[in-house]
């Protein structure tokens, strides 16, 4: 959201740096202009009234000083230009690295987002599966409990029937024993 501000600020800073780099050229141009204007009044009256087509003769010292100053300004401007070009190359390289990193990071973000959505889906499926298994386990537990109750009841019934059966067998055996004794006693007297 604040990228336009950063771009605007960067553009202003680049403009200021460019103007500062060329400040010496501007100053040199101003000095050359002021030199030419300051030298004009010093010309003799006869040379000032010359025809407009003729140029005024400059002294060799003035030409050497002006040429040296212009050469120095030109060298400074060339040096400044070289520094700016080097900075442009460095900034361009850094920009390309950051753009490449941004592309890689956005791809990674997309991959992670996809992976996250897949994991969320798997988690929901797993939760649903666990809910189903817990219901199934609850049903198995209830069934086991009811079967255990039925088994206990059947064992109680079985135990009761065995006791009853044993009593019947004991009574029957006692009766048959009595009958046998009665037959034995009856057969002794006969």
């Amino acid at each position: 959201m604040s990228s336009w501000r950063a771009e605007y600020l960067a553009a202003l800073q680049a403009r200021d740096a460019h103007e500062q780099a060329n400040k010496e050229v501007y100053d040199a141009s101003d000095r050359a202009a002021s030199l030419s204007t300051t030298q004009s009044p010093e010309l003799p009256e006869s040379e000032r009234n010359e025809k407009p087509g003729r140029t005024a003769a400059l002294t060799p010292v003035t030409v050497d000083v002006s040429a040296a100053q212009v050469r120095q300004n030109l060298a400074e401007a060339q040096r400044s230009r070289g520094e700016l070009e080097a900075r442009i190359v460095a900034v361009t390289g850094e920009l390309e690295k950051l753009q490449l990193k941004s592309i890689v990071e956005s791809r990674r973000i997309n991959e992670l987002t996809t992976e996250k959505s897949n994991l969320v889906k798997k988690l929901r499926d797993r939760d649903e599966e666990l809910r189903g298994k817990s219901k199934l386990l609850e049903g198995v537990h209830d069934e086991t409990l009811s079967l255990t109750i039925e088994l206990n009841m059947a064992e109680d019934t079985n135990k009761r029937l065995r006791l009853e059966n044993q009593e019947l067998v004991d009574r029957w055996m006692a009766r048959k024993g009595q009958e046998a004794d009665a037959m034995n006693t009856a057969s002794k007297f006969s």
Side-chain angles (χ1 to χ4, degrees):
M1 300 213 179
S2 65
S3 64
W4 68 270
R5 290 181 184 164
E7 289 176 16
Y8 183 70
L9 183 61
L12 287 176
Q13 290 172 344
R15 184 206 61 194
D16 291 345
H18 180 67
E19 287 179 358
Q20 288 298 325
N22 293 329
K23 185 174 191 282
E24 294 173 3
V25 174
Y26 298 147
D27 291 343
S29 174
D30 289 342
R31 281 192 302 264
S34 67
L35 276 177
S36 66
T37 56
T38 56
Q39 288 177 355
S40 292
E42 295 174 3
L43 292 175
E45 190 66 35
S46 60
E47 290 181 6
R48 277 192 225 156
N49 293 334
E50 289 181 357
K51 295 180 182 171
R54 293 180 75 190
T55 58
L58 295 175
T59 62
V61 174
T62 308
V63 172
D64 287 340
V65 170
S66 295
Q69 184 66 32
V70 170
R71 281 189 200 111
Q72 182 182 3
N73 291 341
L74 181 61
E76 184 63 29
Q78 290 291 345
R79 182 192 62 76
S80 175
R81 181 177 182 257
E83 288 175 359
L84 288 174
E85 285 177 347
R87 279 193 65 209
I88 287 172
V89 168
V91 168
T92 302
E94 185 70 21
L95 177 65
E96 289 173 357
K97 285 180 192 175
L98 290 175
Q99 285 174 337
L100 181 62
K101 185 177 180 181
S102 173
I103 290 169
V104 169
E105 293 297 324
S106 65
R107 284 182 187 159
R108 181 71 178 140
I109 287 170
N110 289 338
E111 290 172 1
L112 289 175
T113 303
T114 304
E115 184 177 350
K116 178 190 170 201
S117 62
N118 288 338
L119 289 174
V120 166
K121 184 179 177 184
K122 283 182 181 180
L123 181 64
R124 273 192 242 126
D125 291 346
R126 199 60 57 140
D127 285 344
E128 188 176 322
E129 182 181 336
L130 287 174
R131 278 193 295 271
K133 284 184 178 181
S134 99
K135 284 182 182 179
L136 181 65
L137 182 63
E138 222 175 274
V140 167
H141 185 267
D142 290 345
E143 187 70 25
T144 303
L145 188 60
S146 69
L147 288 175
T148 303
I149 291 171
E150 282 182 29
L151 178 63
N152 288 338
M153 288 172 60
E155 284 177 353
D156 288 344
T157 304
N158 187 20
K159 191 176 186 182
R160 185 179 50 80
L161 289 175
R162 275 194 181 161
L163 287 173
E164 195 175 301
N165 187 33
Q166 189 63 42
E167 285 178 20
L168 287 174
V169 168
D170 288 343
R171 279 194 334 218
W172 186 76
M173 288 297 286
R175 186 172 160 203
K176 288 298 176 185
Q178 287 174 356
E179 286 178 8
D181 287 340
M183 278 177 47
N184 281 340
T185 34
S187 70
K188 276 186 191 178
F189 298 113
S190 42

